[in-house]
Amino acid sequence: MKNNSYKNKAAISEKLKTISKREADLFYSLCDKKPNVIKTKNFKNALLKSGLKINDNRLHNLFRKLDSSGDEIHFEDFKKIISSSELLVEKALRGELALPDFSDFSKSIDKMFDEVIKNKSGELASYIPPLAKVDPDQFGISIVTVDGQIYQKGDYNVDFSLQSMCKPFNYCFALEKLGLELVHKHVGQEPSGRQFNDLTLLTRSLVEKSNKKFTRIPFNPMINAGAIMTAGLINSDDTYEKRLNFVKEQYGKLIGWSANSKFDSKFPRFNKDVAREENFTGYNNLAIGYLLMATGNLPGKKNKLKKDLNTNKNEFDFYIEPTVVDALKLYFSICSLEMTSTEVAMAAATLANNGVCPVTQSRVLNQKTVRDCLPILQSSGMYDASGAFFQEVGLPAKSGVGGGVFLVVPQLMGICIFSPRLDEQGNSVRGIEMAKRITSKYLVHIFDGAMTNADRVNPRIPISKWRANSCGEAIWAASIGDIRTLERLASEQKDLSIGNSDMRTPMHLAAAEGQLEVLQFLLEQGVKPKPDRWGGYGYFDAKNNNHKKILNVLDKLNMKFLKPNHLVEEPNGETDEVAKYDDELMVSELLFAAARNDITGIRQLIAKGVPVHAGNFD
Ligand code: GLU
C-alpha cells in the first residue's frame, strides 16, 4: 500500500515536472531580454500571428485575462492565464496548428489575390434578375483551418447569394435524416456531364421485385434536378416554415453561429426577393419539378384533387401539384440564403474537419455523412467542368451562380472565394483562378502524394522544417553513398542541388566523403557544383580529404572552383548543445529559421524545447 502510494506520488511529480517544463518552454519562447517576464503585447501578437482570432470562443477567457494583466506577465500568472485554453495555446506557440507558418501562407495568398484581381473576364448570372445587379468587381477570399485559424481578404464580409453552394449541405442534411441507402433511391451518384439545369435523368434498372423494370432519378445531388429532389427529402412532412428554419439552423451550426457566441458568424439571412424572382423566372426548375413528380420519386404527401369550384362550365380550376411546389419553394429559398465568404469557408472547414465546426468544436455532421458527400463534390461539384477541375485542382469543391466557390482540403482547411463574374460553365472566373494558383503552389491536390518539386510547398509543415527535411535526406544519402535513395528523390522531382542552411549541398557531402558514384549520379542528373555559405566548392572538401578520383571528375568539368573565404583548419570543439540535443532535424530546422530571419519560427522551436544554442555537424 505504502509502496503504491509512493509510486503514485513519484508518477505525479514526474508528470508535474513535464507539465511545467512544457509551460516553461512556452513562456521562454515569448521572452525578450528579461528571462522572468514576458510582454502581454508579445503574447497577444504571437496568438494573433498564428491565425487565431480575438473573438474565437475558445480564447475568450484568455484574452479577457490578458486585458486585465498589465504590460508584463510573470511565469506563475502565465500558467493561470493559459489554463483555460492550454492545448490551443500550446499548439499556436509551438507552430503546431494546421497551418504552422500562417504569416507566410497569408503573404503568399495575398500575392495571388493581387494578381487574380486583375482578371475582369466573365459575365454576371442574369437569369435571376437580382444577381445581375450585384457589383461585378467584388472579390473576397476566406480560408479557415480545422484548428480555426482564419485568413480573409477583400470583400470577405459581403453577403452574397449561396445559390448552388447550398446543394452539398442539403444533401448532407438529407443523408443525416434518411441515410445513404434511402436517399440514393431518389437520386444518383453519377456525374452527368451536362449543364446544371439539364432535364435529362438517369435511368436505373430496379433490382427489387416490382412490376417496373426501370426508374428515373437525377444523376446526382449537385445538379438542379438532384438538388430539388434532396430539398424535397428534407423533413418532407413538416411545413415550409419549419423546414426552412431547420435548414437555417443547420447552416448556423456549420458556420460557427450560436446564440451566445462572440464569433463573427451571423444567423443565415434569407433574401426573399431573390427567391421570388427565381420563382418568376426559373422555368427550367419548374419543369424539373414536374419531371421529378412524373418519375414517382419526389417525396411528399399525396393530395387529393380539390373539388372544382369554378362555376364557368367552359373553364376549370387549374391544379398545381403541391408536392412540386413544396420542393421548389424550399429549394429556391435555400438557394437565396446569404452568407459571407468567411461563413462559407467555416462551413467548408467543418467538412474538412469531418463534421466538427472548428471554432465551436460542436459536431454538426456525422463523419460518415461528410465522407459520403465529399466524393460527390469531387466528381460533380463544378458543373460540367467538374472532371477537368478535379484533375487540375484535385479538391472537392462547389460553386454557385452567385459567384461563390468553396473548396475542401480534407483535414486541413476550407476555402471560399467570392467574385461574381462567371465563366461559360457558370463558375466564378476568379474563384477558379485562385483555386488553380493555390494548388499549383501548395501540395494540397488529393493525389499529390510524394510527387513534388522544389517550388511547391506542403503548408502542413513549417517552411524551415520542410527545407530541413527535403534537403536533409539527400545530403545524408549523398554522404553515405546511398544511390537508391537519391534515385527515388530524383524520381519524386526533389531538387538535388538544394543545400542546407549553410548552403552545403549533396555534392559537397559526396565530395567530402569520397562518394564517387554519388558524384557521378548527381552530375548525370544535371546538378551543377555550387558554392556554400563561405564561397567554398565541394572540390576543396575532396582536396582536404585527399579524394583523388573525385578531383579527377571535377577537373573534367573545366570550372573555376573558388576557395571558401574562411577556412577553419581544425574546428575548435563542439557546442555543449550539440552533444546534448540529438534531434538533428529540429536543429537543422532551427538553423533554417535563423538563416531566413524567421523569428516566429525560432520562437516556435523554443516553445518545443529546442535549445537556441544548438548547432549541426558544421
Ligand atoms: N438557384 C439556382 C438555379 O437553380 C442555382 C443555380 C446555381 O447556382 O448553379 O437555377
Side-chain angles (χ1 to χ4, degrees):
M1 181 72 192
K2 227 180 180 177
N3 221 348
N4 253 348
S5 82
Y6 171 76
K7 268 192 200 154
N8 282 345
K9 227 172 154 183
I12 289 171
S13 100
E14 230 2 81
K15 198 169 169 198
L16 281 177
K17 256 195 240 158
T18 15
I19 291 178
S20 42
K21 159 88 170 86
R22 268 173 46 207
E23 288 163 336
D25 287 336
L26 298 181
F27 184 78
Y28 290 130
S29 76
L30 294 164
C31 284
D32 272 344
K33 285 173 194 134
K34 299 191 224 159
N36 56 342
V37 291
I38 58 169
K39 293 207 178 85
T40 312
K41 194 176 70 191
N42 284 0
F43 186 17
K44 272 189 190 168
N45 283 346
L47 291 175
L48 298 178
K49 257 184 142 175
S50 76
L52 297 172
K53 292 272 174 264
I54 246 166
N55 58 4
D56 187 319
N57 290 325
R58 299 164 300 169
L59 294 174
H60 181 60
N61 278 339
L62 181 142
F63 275 108
R64 234 191 33 213
K65 287 186 212 158
L66 282 182
D67 283 340
S68 54
S69 289
D71 291 345
E72 291 188 332
I73 304 170
H74 288 264
F75 183 52
E76 288 310 313
D77 293 328
F78 174 77
K79 287 201 284 189
K80 284 185 210 137
I81 291 172
I82 63 171
S83 61
S84 54
S85 22
E86 184 151 346
L87 275 180
L88 187 60
V89 170
E90 182 179 70
K91 275 175 123 187
L93 296 183
R94 292 168 59 135
E96 287 170 350
L97 293 173
L99 289 175
D101 268 318
F102 186 79
S103 307
D104 214 89
F105 179 83
S106 306
K107 275 187 219 138
S108 91
I109 305 290
D110 282 350
K111 260 202 212 148
M112 295 179 198
F113 181 96
D114 293 341
E115 282 301 309
V116 174
I117 201 166
K118 295 176 196 157
N119 188 343
K120 296 202 182 245
S121 57
E123 303 288 333
L124 291 178
S126 57
Y127 74 101
I128 305 173
L131 299 185
K133 292 189 193 134
V134 302
D135 172 2
D137 284 327
Q138 294 176 105
F139 184 25
I141 173 167
S142 307
I143 298 178
V144 178
T145 71
V146 293
D147 283 323
Q149 296 159 284
I150 299 180
Y151 166 87
Q152 39 197 12
K153 189 167 169 74
D155 295 314
Y156 62 84
N157 215 6
V158 171
D159 274 2
F160 65 92
S161 197
L162 213 52
Q163 294 303 317
S164 272
M165 291 166 97
C166 70
K167 291 170 178 169
F169 299 108
N170 295 350
Y171 174 53
C172 287
F173 305 150
L175 286 179
E176 294 264 312
K177 289 268 169 176
L178 306 172
L180 191 73
E181 203 182 325
L182 183 53
V183 168
H184 284 293
K185 286 197 166 137
H186 297 265
V187 58
Q189 291 114 311
E190 309 309 326
S192 73
R194 296 171 188 274
Q195 281 208 311
F196 70 107
N197 59 3
D198 197 272
L199 292 158
T200 318
L201 296 179
L202 173 72
T203 304
R204 186 190 263 177
S205 54
L206 282 174
V207 263
E208 8 177 321
K209 262 197 204 150
S210 151
N211 45 11
K212 279 199 282 174
K213 290 215 176 80
F214 296 99
T215 185
R216 287 187 310 138
I217 53 173
F219 277 87
N220 64 67
M222 303 304 146
I223 49 167
N224 283 11
I228 294 168
M229 181 67 90
T230 37
L233 289 172
I234 302 172
N235 300 353
S236 51
D237 289 335
D238 273 345
T239 60
Y240 159 79
E241 216 182 344
K242 278 196 185 155
R243 295 168 82 187
L244 183 58
N245 235 350
F246 166 78
V247 169
K248 283 205 232 165
E249 272 167 16
Q250 295 310 107
Y251 271 103
K253 293 181 195 162
L254 284 164
I255 64 177
W257 171 87
S258 85
N260 39 24
S261 151
K262 301 278 169 288
F263 192 65
D264 282 339
S265 289
K266 297 187 287 303
F267 196 64
R269 286 75 67 194
F270 170 49
N271 188 328
K272 187 172 165 167
D273 286 342
V274 174
R276 290 194 72 226
E277 295 277 354
E278 191 172 353
N279 179 198
F280 292 143
T281 56
Y283 311 120
N284 231 298
N285 288 331
L286 299 178
I288 290 173
Y290 270 99
L291 191 64
L292 296 179
M293 188 73 200
T295 65
N297 284 320
L298 193 63
K301 292 165 265 169
K302 283 279 156 272
N303 283 285
K304 274 198 199 141
L305 267 177
K306 286 206 190 87
K307 222 175 143 203
D308 189 350
L309 301 173
N310 205 315
T311 47
N312 183 344
K313 90 174 179 6
N314 290 320
E315 199 190 332
F316 68 99
D317 289 333
F318 190 79
Y319 175 74
I320 297 175
E321 174 55 49
T323 308
V324 173
V325 172
D326 287 351
L328 285 172
K329 191 171 172 186
L330 188 64
Y331 169 70
F332 289 153
S333 306
I334 308 175
C335 285
S336 308
L337 290 180
E338 293 189 340
M339 292 179 202
T340 65
S341 65
T342 303
E343 288 169 339
V344 177
M346 184 65 73
T350 303
L351 294 180
N353 200 25
N354 304 318
V356 173
C357 174
V359 286
T360 59
Q361 289 296 304
S362 311
R363 175 160 294 286
V364 189
L365 298 168
N366 288 310
Q367 287 200 25
K368 177 70 169 49
T369 303
V370 176
R371 212 207 58 186
D372 287 336
C373 172
L374 293 182
I376 306 284
L377 272 187
Q378 164 188 328
S379 62
S380 312
M382 300 298 281
Y383 303 119
D384 40 332
S386 298
F389 180 85
F390 185 68
Q391 192 172 44
E392 182 163 359
V393 176
L395 292 171
K398 185 74 200 88
S399 57
V401 293
V405 43
F406 76 77
L407 298 103
V408 179
V409 187
Q411 274 73 62
L412 184 65
M413 60 193 172
I415 302 171
C416 176
I417 305 137
F418 159 58
S419 185
R421 287 198 198 90
L422 309 178
D423 63 14
E424 273 149 27
Q425 274 86 23
N427 292 315
S428 163
V429 173
R430 287 173 176 161
I432 299 274
E433 198 185 331
M434 264 322 271
K436 286 183 178 170
R437 282 178 188 248
I438 291 173
T439 17
S440 68
K441 159 108 199 196
Y442 290 104
L443 289 165
V444 289
H445 188 301
I446 284 182
F447 296 125
D448 266 330
M451 204 203 84
T452 154
N453 60 40
D455 305 330
R456 297 187 71 215
V457 176
N458 186 346
R460 302 164 180 88
I461 299 175
I463 300 213
S464 306
K465 183 171 184 173
W466 172 246
R467 298 241 174 99
N469 230 338
S470 48
C471 74
E473 202 179 358
I475 290 182
W476 181 248
S479 72
I480 59 167
D482 178 357
I483 293 276
R484 294 287 310 140
T485 296
L486 290 168
E487 278 171 351
R488 174 177 55 76
L489 293 171
S491 75
E492 289 167 4
Q493 299 179 22
K494 295 254 162 63
D495 185 346
L496 297 179
S497 70
I498 284 196
N500 67 6
S501 52
D502 286 331
M503 295 147 75
R504 304 273 294 158
T505 64
M507 198 174 280
H508 283 99
L509 271 290
E513 300 299 331
Q515 300 293 358
L516 185 63
E517 222 187 320
V518 170
L519 177 70
Q520 277 158 341
F521 174 78
L522 292 172
L523 291 170
E524 274 161 27
Q525 291 294 315
V527 176
K528 303 251 173 332
K530 291 201 300 197
D532 63 18
R533 179 176 294 285
W534 302 279
Y537 284 82
Y539 192 86
F540 291 95
D541 292 291
K543 205 165 186 179
N544 282 346
N545 294 317
N546 209 14
H547 295 310
K548 294 214 172 72
K549 288 185 180 155
I550 299 267
L551 293 173
N552 282 343
V553 174
L554 291 174
D555 278 334
K556 287 194 191 121
L557 296 178
N558 278 331
M559 278 179 68
K560 196 161 186 273
F561 295 114
L562 298 176
K563 264 193 179 176
N565 56 24
H566 88 96
L567 200 57
V568 181
E569 296 292 345
E570 285 209 26
N572 247 338
E574 293 176 342
T575 72
D576 291 349
E577 301 290 6
V578 170
K580 275 192 251 125
Y581 199 78
D582 59 0
D583 189 337
E584 263 180 51
L585 187 60
M586 280 223 216
V587 173
S588 101
E589 190 183 340
L590 179 68
L591 295 173
F592 265 107
R596 55 193 284 267
N597 205 8
D598 172 9
I599 306 294
T600 310
I602 296 175
R603 287 192 188 278
Q604 287 173 352
L605 286 159
I606 299 172
K608 285 180 186 164
V610 180
V612 241
H613 306 108
N616 71 359
F617 48 82
D618 277 335

